[in-house]
Amino acid sequence: MFDTMHFIVRSSGRHEGKCYIDYRGLYKIADISAEAKIGVPLLTEIYEQNGGTFDASMEVYYFESSEAANAVVAQVLQKMKAASKGRTILLTEQEISCIRRALIGDGATLIGINAKLKDSILKKLNG
């Protein structure tokens, strides 16, 4: 599962004014390709279409602006299959208990659930 929330565009410490894409500490195109389940040639094409320049010594693509790098992230997420994408959602213990009761089916589906709690859960899930 590829957690879509962990892409970070970072400023480069090696190249002044440039940035690169980091996914959970991975920045090499082969590593990101493997995690995203997108072929290296397609990923390379996306990076280069958005102005990425390859640094062979670091095996990383650098971008002139964070906007260009964020455009790459958006395109990568578009190309991924929905079944491969995931996201992180933080729930309170009360919300988890409510969901657990609803899944078990002990009558907690709509009756007896605090409306604010239900709205909070749905807001997080619809995110």
Side-chain angles (χ1 to χ4, degrees):
M1 179 79 50
F2 189 87
D3 188 341
T4 59
M5 306 297 279
H6 286 91
F7 269 117
I8 300 172
V9 174
R10 297 193 182 276
S11 295
S12 172
R14 294 183 179 263
H15 300 283
E16 184 75 28
K18 295 191 178 189
C19 57
Y20 64 96
I21 297 170
D22 179 320
Y23 175 74
R24 291 187 158 178
L26 303 174
Y27 53 85
K28 294 179 181 179
I29 195 155
D31 295 337
I32 294 175
S33 168
E35 287 290 317
K37 295 180 179 50
I38 295 177
V40 172
L42 177 57
L43 197 55
T44 299
E45 182 182 325
I46 293 170
Y47 275 52
E48 290 176 355
Q49 285 175 348
N50 288 283
T53 54
F54 188 68
D55 179 345
S57 66
M58 294 296 296
E59 296 182 57
V60 66
Y61 274 87
Y62 289 98
F63 300 89
E64 296 293 328
S65 68
S66 61
E67 290 82 11
N70 282 317
V72 168
V73 171
Q75 287 181 334
V76 167
L77 293 176
Q78 272 185 328
K79 298 285 184 189
M80 290 180 63
K81 294 178 181 176
S84 298
K85 294 182 201 177
R87 60 187 163 131
T88 303
I89 300 171
L90 299 175
L91 299 170
T92 65
E93 288 296 327
Q94 185 180 21
E95 292 167 337
I96 292 169
S97 176
C98 177
I99 292 169
R100 185 178 293 119
R101 285 192 319 264
L103 290 173
I104 293 171
D106 68 352
T109 52
L110 292 176
I111 300 170
I113 293 181
N114 179 329
K116 287 182 183 179
L117 179 61
K118 179 181 161 190
D119 290 343
S120 172
I121 293 169
L122 290 174
K123 183 178 179 182
K124 289 177 182 181
L125 293 176
N126 293 330

